[in-house]
Coordinates of all heavy atoms in Angstrom, one line a residue:
Chain A
A29 N 84.8 -121.0 39.7 CA 86.1 -120.7 40.4 C 86.9 -119.7 39.7 O 88.0 -119.9 39.2 CB 86.9 -122.0 40.6
I30 N 86.3 -118.5 39.6 CA 86.9 -117.4 38.8 C 87.6 -116.4 39.8 O 87.3 -116.3 40.9 CB 85.9 -116.6 38.0 CG1 84.8 -116.0 38.9 CG2 85.3 -117.5 37.0 CD1 83.9 -115.1 38.2
Y31 N 88.7 -115.8 39.2 CA 89.3 -114.7 40.0 C 88.5 -113.4 39.7 O 88.3 -112.6 40.6 CB 90.7 -114.4 39.5 CG 91.7 -115.5 40.0 CD1 92.6 -116.0 39.2 CD2 91.7 -115.9 41.3 CE1 93.5 -117.0 39.6 CE2 92.5 -116.9 41.8 CZ 93.5 -117.4 40.9 OH 94.4 -118.4 41.3
N32 N 88.1 -113.2 38.5 CA 87.3 -112.0 38.2 C 86.5 -112.2 36.9 O 86.8 -113.2 36.1 CB 88.1 -110.7 38.1 CG 89.2 -110.8 37.0 OD1 88.9 -111.1 35.9 ND2 90.4 -110.5 37.4
L33 N 85.7 -111.3 36.6 CA 84.9 -111.3 35.3 C 85.0 -109.8 34.8 O 84.8 -108.9 35.6 CB 83.5 -111.7 35.5 CG 82.6 -111.8 34.2 CD1 81.7 -113.0 34.3 CD2 81.9 -110.5 34.0
Q34 N 85.3 -109.7 33.5 CA 85.4 -108.4 32.9 C 84.4 -108.2 31.8 O 84.2 -109.1 31.0 CB 86.9 -108.1 32.4 CG 87.9 -108.0 33.5 CD 89.3 -107.7 32.9 OE1 90.2 -108.5 32.9 NE2 89.4 -106.4 32.4
W35 N 84.0 -107.0 31.6 CA 83.2 -106.6 30.5 C 84.0 -105.6 29.7 O 84.6 -104.7 30.2 CB 81.9 -105.9 30.9 CG 80.8 -106.9 31.4 CD1 80.6 -107.3 32.7 CD2 79.8 -107.6 30.6 NE1 79.5 -108.2 32.7 CE2 79.1 -108.4 31.4 CE3 79.5 -107.6 29.2 CZ2 78.0 -109.2 31.0 CZ3 78.5 -108.3 28.7 CH2 77.8 -109.1 29.6
F36 N 84.0 -105.8 28.3 CA 84.7 -105.0 27.4 C 83.7 -104.5 26.3 O 82.7 -105.1 26.0 CB 85.8 -105.7 26.7 CG 86.9 -106.3 27.6 CD1 86.7 -107.5 28.2 CD2 88.0 -105.5 27.9 CE1 87.7 -108.0 29.0 CE2 89.0 -106.0 28.7 CZ 88.9 -107.3 29.3
R37 N 84.2 -103.4 25.7 CA 83.5 -102.9 24.5 C 84.5 -103.0 23.4 O 85.7 -102.7 23.5 CB 83.1 -101.4 24.8 CG 82.6 -100.7 23.5 CD 82.4 -99.3 23.8 NE 82.1 -98.6 22.5 CZ 81.2 -97.7 22.4 NH1 80.4 -97.3 23.4 NH2 81.0 -97.1 21.2
Q38 N 84.0 -103.4 22.2 CA 84.9 -103.4 21.0 C 84.1 -102.8 19.9 O 83.1 -103.2 19.5 CB 85.3 -104.9 20.6 CG 86.3 -104.9 19.5 CD 86.7 -106.3 19.2 OE1 86.0 -107.3 19.4 NE2 88.0 -106.4 18.7
D39 N 84.7 -101.7 19.3 CA 84.2 -101.1 18.1 C 84.7 -101.8 16.9 O 85.8 -102.4 17.0 CB 84.5 -99.6 18.1 CG 83.8 -98.9 19.2 OD1 82.6 -98.7 19.1 OD2 84.4 -98.5 20.2
P40 N 84.1 -101.7 15.8 CA 84.5 -102.5 14.6 C 85.9 -102.2 14.2 O 86.4 -101.1 14.0 CB 83.5 -102.0 13.5 CG 82.3 -101.6 14.2 CD 82.8 -101.0 15.5
G41 N 86.7 -103.3 14.1 CA 88.1 -103.2 13.7 C 89.0 -102.6 14.7 O 90.2 -102.3 14.4
K42 N 88.5 -102.5 15.9 CA 89.3 -101.9 17.0 C 89.7 -102.9 18.1 O 89.2 -104.0 18.1 CB 88.6 -100.7 17.6 CG 88.2 -99.6 16.5 CD 89.4 -98.9 16.0 CE 88.9 -97.8 15.1 NZ 90.1 -97.1 14.4
G43 N 90.5 -102.4 19.0 CA 90.8 -103.2 20.2 C 89.7 -103.2 21.2 O 88.6 -102.8 20.9
L44 N 90.1 -103.6 22.4 CA 89.1 -103.7 23.5 C 89.2 -102.5 24.4 O 90.3 -102.0 24.8 CB 89.4 -104.9 24.3 CG 89.3 -106.3 23.5 CD1 89.5 -107.4 24.5 CD2 88.0 -106.4 22.8
T45 N 88.1 -102.0 24.9 CA 88.0 -101.0 25.9 C 87.4 -101.6 27.1 O 86.3 -102.2 27.1 CB 87.1 -99.8 25.5 OG1 87.7 -99.2 24.3 CG2 87.1 -98.8 26.6
S46 N 88.2 -101.6 28.2 CA 87.7 -102.2 29.4 C 86.6 -101.4 30.0 O 86.7 -100.1 30.2 CB 88.8 -102.4 30.5 OG 88.3 -103.0 31.7
L47 N 85.4 -102.0 30.4 CA 84.3 -101.2 30.9 C 84.2 -101.4 32.4 O 84.2 -100.4 33.2 CB 83.0 -101.7 30.3 CG 82.9 -101.5 28.8 CD1 81.6 -102.1 28.3 CD2 82.9 -100.0 28.5
L48 N 84.2 -102.7 32.9 CA 84.0 -103.0 34.3 C 84.7 -104.3 34.6 O 84.7 -105.2 33.8 CB 82.5 -103.1 34.7 CG 81.7 -101.8 34.7 CD1 80.2 -102.1 34.7 CD2 82.1 -100.9 35.8
L49 N 85.3 -104.3 35.8 CA 85.9 -105.6 36.3 C 85.3 -105.9 37.6 O 85.2 -105.0 38.5 CB 87.4 -105.5 36.4 CG 88.1 -106.7 37.0 CD1 89.5 -106.8 36.4 CD2 88.3 -106.6 38.5
I50 N 84.8 -107.1 37.8 CA 84.2 -107.5 39.0 C 85.1 -108.6 39.6 O 85.2 -109.7 39.0 CB 82.7 -108.1 38.9 CG1 81.9 -107.1 38.0 CG2 82.1 -108.3 40.2 CD1 80.5 -107.7 37.8
Q51 N 85.6 -108.3 40.8 CA 86.4 -109.3 41.5 C 85.5 -110.5 42.0 O 84.3 -110.3 42.2 CB 87.2 -108.7 42.6 CG 88.1 -107.6 42.3 CD 89.4 -108.1 41.6 OE1 89.6 -109.3 41.3 NE2 90.3 -107.2 41.2
S52 N 86.1 -111.6 42.2 CA 85.3 -112.8 42.6 C 84.5 -112.5 43.9 O 83.4 -113.1 44.1 CB 86.3 -113.9 42.9 OG 85.7 -115.0 43.4
S53 N 85.0 -111.7 44.8 CA 84.4 -111.4 46.0 C 83.3 -110.3 46.0 O 82.6 -110.1 46.9 CB 85.4 -111.0 47.1 OG 86.1 -109.8 46.6
Q54 N 83.2 -109.7 44.8 CA 82.2 -108.6 44.6 C 80.9 -109.1 44.0 O 80.9 -110.1 43.3 CB 82.8 -107.5 43.8 CG 84.0 -106.9 44.5 CD 84.7 -105.9 43.5 OE1 84.8 -106.1 42.3 NE2 85.3 -104.8 44.1
R55 N 79.8 -108.3 44.2 CA 78.6 -108.7 43.6 C 78.2 -107.8 42.4 O 77.5 -108.2 41.5 CB 77.5 -108.5 44.6 CG 77.6 -109.5 45.8 CD 77.1 -110.8 45.5 NE 75.7 -110.9 45.2 CZ 75.0 -112.0 45.1 NH1 75.6 -113.2 45.3 NH2 73.7 -112.0 44.8
E56 N 78.8 -106.6 42.4 CA 78.5 -105.7 41.3 C 79.5 -104.5 41.3 O 80.2 -104.3 42.3 CB 77.1 -105.1 41.4 CG 76.8 -104.2 42.6 CD 75.4 -103.6 42.5 OE1 74.7 -103.6 41.5 OE2 75.0 -103.1 43.6
Q57 N 79.5 -103.9 40.1 CA 80.4 -102.7 39.9 C 79.6 -101.7 39.0 O 78.8 -102.1 38.2 CB 81.7 -103.1 39.2 CG 82.7 -103.7 40.1 CD 83.4 -102.7 41.0 OE1 83.5 -101.5 40.7 NE2 83.7 -103.2 42.2
T58 N 79.8 -100.5 39.3 CA 79.1 -99.4 38.5 C 80.1 -98.4 38.0 O 81.0 -98.0 38.7 CB 78.1 -98.7 39.4 OG1 77.1 -99.7 39.9 CG2 77.3 -97.6 38.7
S59 N 79.8 -97.9 36.8 CA 80.5 -96.8 36.2 C 79.6 -96.1 35.3 O 79.2 -96.5 34.2 CB 81.7 -97.4 35.4 OG 82.4 -96.3 34.7
G60 N 79.2 -94.9 35.8 CA 78.3 -94.0 35.0 C 77.0 -94.7 34.7 O 76.3 -95.1 35.7
R61 N 76.7 -94.9 33.5 CA 75.4 -95.5 33.1 C 75.5 -97.0 33.1 O 74.5 -97.7 32.7 CB 74.9 -95.0 31.7 CG 74.6 -93.5 31.7 CD 74.1 -93.1 30.4 NE 75.1 -93.1 29.3 CZ 75.1 -94.0 28.3 NH1 74.2 -94.9 28.2 NH2 76.1 -94.0 27.4
L62 N 76.6 -97.6 33.4 CA 76.8 -99.0 33.3 C 76.8 -99.6 34.7 O 77.4 -99.1 35.7 CB 78.2 -99.4 32.6 CG 78.4 -98.8 31.3 CD1 79.8 -99.2 30.8 CD2 77.3 -99.2 30.3
N63 N 76.2 -100.8 34.8 CA 76.2 -101.6 36.1 C 76.4 -103.0 35.7 O 75.6 -103.6 34.9 CB 74.9 -101.3 36.9 CG 74.9 -102.2 38.1 OD1 74.5 -103.4 38.1 ND2 75.3 -101.6 39.2
A64 N 77.4 -103.7 36.3 CA 77.6 -105.1 36.0 C 77.4 -105.8 37.3 O 77.9 -105.4 38.4 CB 79.0 -105.3 35.5
S65 N 76.7 -107.0 37.3 CA 76.5 -107.8 38.4 C 77.2 -109.2 38.2 O 77.4 -109.6 37.1 CB 75.0 -108.0 38.7 OG 74.5 -108.8 37.6
L66 N 77.4 -109.8 39.3 CA 78.1 -111.1 39.3 C 77.4 -112.1 40.3 O 77.3 -111.7 41.4 CB 79.5 -111.0 39.6 CG 80.3 -112.4 39.7 CD1 80.3 -113.1 38.4 CD2 81.7 -112.1 40.2
D67 N 76.9 -113.2 39.8 CA 76.4 -114.3 40.6 C 77.2 -115.5 40.4 O 76.8 -116.3 39.4 CB 74.9 -114.4 40.4 CG 74.3 -115.5 41.3 OD1 75.0 -116.2 42.0 OD2 73.0 -115.5 41.4
K68 N 78.2 -115.8 41.2 CA 79.0 -116.9 40.9 C 78.3 -118.3 41.1 O 78.5 -119.2 40.3 CB 80.2 -116.9 41.9 CG 81.3 -115.9 41.5 CD 82.6 -116.3 42.1 CE 82.5 -116.5 43.6 NZ 83.8 -116.9 44.2
S69 N 77.4 -118.3 42.0 CA 76.7 -119.6 42.3 C 75.9 -120.0 41.1 O 75.7 -121.2 40.8 CB 75.8 -119.4 43.5 OG 74.8 -118.5 43.3
S70 N 75.3 -119.1 40.3 CA 74.5 -119.5 39.1 C 75.4 -119.3 37.9 O 74.9 -119.7 36.8 CB 73.3 -118.6 39.0 OG 73.7 -117.2 38.8
G71 N 76.6 -118.8 38.0 CA 77.4 -118.7 36.8 C 76.9 -117.6 35.8 O 76.9 -117.8 34.6
R72 N 76.5 -116.5 36.4 CA 75.9 -115.5 35.5 C 76.4 -114.1 35.9 O 76.7 -113.8 37.0 CB 74.4 -115.5 35.7 CG 73.7 -116.7 35.2 CD 72.2 -116.6 35.4 NE 71.5 -117.8 35.1 CZ 71.0 -118.2 34.0 NH1 71.1 -117.4 32.9 NH2 70.4 -119.3 33.8
S73 N 76.5 -113.3 34.8 CA 76.8 -111.9 35.0 C 75.9 -111.1 34.0 O 75.6 -111.6 32.9 CB 78.2 -111.6 34.7 OG 78.5 -110.2 34.8
T74 N 75.5 -109.9 34.4 CA 74.7 -109.1 33.6 C 75.4 -107.7 33.5 O 76.0 -107.2 34.4 CB 73.3 -108.9 34.0 OG1 73.3 -108.3 35.3 CG2 72.5 -110.2 34.1
L75 N 75.2 -107.1 32.3 CA 75.7 -105.7 32.1 C 74.4 -104.9 31.8 O 73.7 -105.1 30.8 CB 76.7 -105.6 31.0 CG 77.1 -104.2 30.7 CD1 78.0 -103.6 31.8 CD2 78.0 -104.1 29.4
Y76 N 74.1 -104.0 32.7 CA 73.0 -103.1 32.6 C 73.4 -101.8 32.0 O 74.3 -101.1 32.6 CB 72.3 -102.9 33.9 CG 71.1 -102.0 34.0 CD1 69.8 -102.4 33.6 CD2 71.3 -100.7 34.4 CE1 68.8 -101.5 33.6 CE2 70.2 -99.8 34.5 CZ 69.0 -100.2 34.1 OH 67.9 -99.3 34.1
I77 N 72.8 -101.3 30.9 CA 73.1 -100.0 30.3 C 71.8 -99.2 30.5 O 70.8 -99.5 29.9 CB 73.5 -100.1 28.9 CG1 74.7 -101.0 28.7 CG2 73.8 -98.7 28.3 CD1 75.2 -101.3 27.3
A78 N 72.0 -98.1 31.2 CA 70.8 -97.2 31.4 C 70.8 -96.1 30.3 O 71.9 -95.6 29.8 CB 70.9 -96.5 32.7
A79 N 69.6 -95.7 29.9 CA 69.4 -94.6 29.0 C 70.4 -94.7 27.8 O 71.2 -93.8 27.6 CB 69.6 -93.3 29.7
S80 N 70.2 -95.7 27.0 CA 71.2 -96.0 25.9 C 71.2 -94.9 24.9 O 70.2 -94.2 24.7 CB 70.8 -97.3 25.2 OG 69.5 -97.2 24.7
Q81 N 72.4 -94.7 24.3 CA 72.7 -93.7 23.3 C 73.2 -94.3 22.0 O 73.9 -95.4 22.1 CB 73.7 -92.7 23.9 CG 73.2 -92.1 25.2 CD 74.3 -91.3 25.8 OE1 75.5 -91.2 25.3 NE2 74.0 -90.6 27.0
P82 N 73.1 -93.7 20.9 CA 73.7 -94.2 19.7 C 75.2 -94.5 19.8 O 75.7 -95.5 19.2 CB 73.4 -93.1 18.6 CG 72.1 -92.5 19.1 CD 72.2 -92.5 20.6
G83 N 75.9 -93.7 20.6 CA 77.3 -93.9 20.8 C 77.6 -95.2 21.6 O 78.8 -95.6 21.6
D84 N 76.6 -95.8 22.1 CA 76.8 -97.1 22.8 C 76.8 -98.3 21.9 O 77.2 -99.4 22.3 CB 75.7 -97.3 23.9 CG 75.7 -96.3 25.0 OD1 76.7 -95.8 25.3 OD2 74.6 -96.1 25.5
S85 N 76.5 -98.0 20.6 CA 76.5 -99.1 19.6 C 77.9 -99.7 19.5 O 78.9 -98.9 19.2 CB 76.1 -98.5 18.3 OG 74.7 -98.1 18.4
A86 N 78.1 -100.9 19.7 CA 79.4 -101.6 19.7 C 79.1 -103.1 20.0 O 78.0 -103.5 20.3 CB 80.3 -101.1 20.7
T87 N 80.2 -103.9 20.0 CA 80.1 -105.3 20.5 C 80.6 -105.3 21.9 O 81.6 -104.8 22.2 CB 80.9 -106.2 19.6 OG1 80.3 -106.3 18.3 CG2 80.8 -107.6 20.1
Y88 N 79.8 -105.9 22.8 CA 80.2 -106.0 24.2 C 80.6 -107.5 24.5 O 79.9 -108.4 24.2 CB 79.0 -105.6 25.0 CG 78.7 -104.1 24.9 CD1 78.0 -103.6 23.9 CD2 79.2 -103.3 25.9 CE1 77.8 -102.2 23.7 CE2 79.0 -101.9 25.8 CZ 78.3 -101.4 24.7 OH 78.1 -100.0 24.6
L89 N 81.8 -107.6 25.0 CA 82.4 -108.9 25.3 C 82.5 -109.1 26.8 O 82.8 -108.2 27.5 CB 83.8 -109.0 24.7 CG 83.9 -108.9 23.2 CD1 85.3 -108.8 22.8 CD2 83.3 -110.1 22.5
C90 N 82.2 -110.3 27.2 CA 82.3 -110.7 28.6 C 83.5 -111.7 28.6 O 83.6 -112.5 27.7 CB 81.0 -111.4 29.0 SG 81.0 -112.3 30.5
A91 N 84.3 -111.6 29.7 CA 85.4 -112.6 29.8 C 85.5 -113.0 31.3 O 85.5 -112.1 32.1 CB 86.7 -111.9 29.3
A92 N 85.7 -114.2 31.5 CA 85.9 -114.8 32.8 C 87.2 -115.5 32.9 O 87.7 -116.1 31.9 CB 84.8 -115.7 33.2

Side-chain angles (χ1 to χ4, degrees):
Chain A
I30 60 172
Y31 287 136
N32 62 51
L33 183 142
Q34 289 186 250
W35 283 92
F36 297 89
R37 168 185 173 139
Q38 185 176 32
D39 292 287
K42 303 292 186 182
L44 303 182
T45 300
S46 179
L47 298 175
L48 290 165
L49 177 147
I50 311 177
Q51 300 287 0
S52 174
S53 59
Q54 297 173 326
R55 298 279 298 190
E56 67 176 342
Q57 281 287 328
T58 298
S59 176
R61 293 183 293 110
L62 306 179
N63 176 277
S65 68
L66 174 64
D67 184 344
K68 284 200 308 177
S69 63
S70 65
R72 294 177 188 271
S73 175
T74 61
L75 178 66
Y76 175 83
I77 302 177
S80 58
Q81 303 171 358
D84 294 331
S85 297
T87 295
Y88 289 80
L89 297 171
C90 166

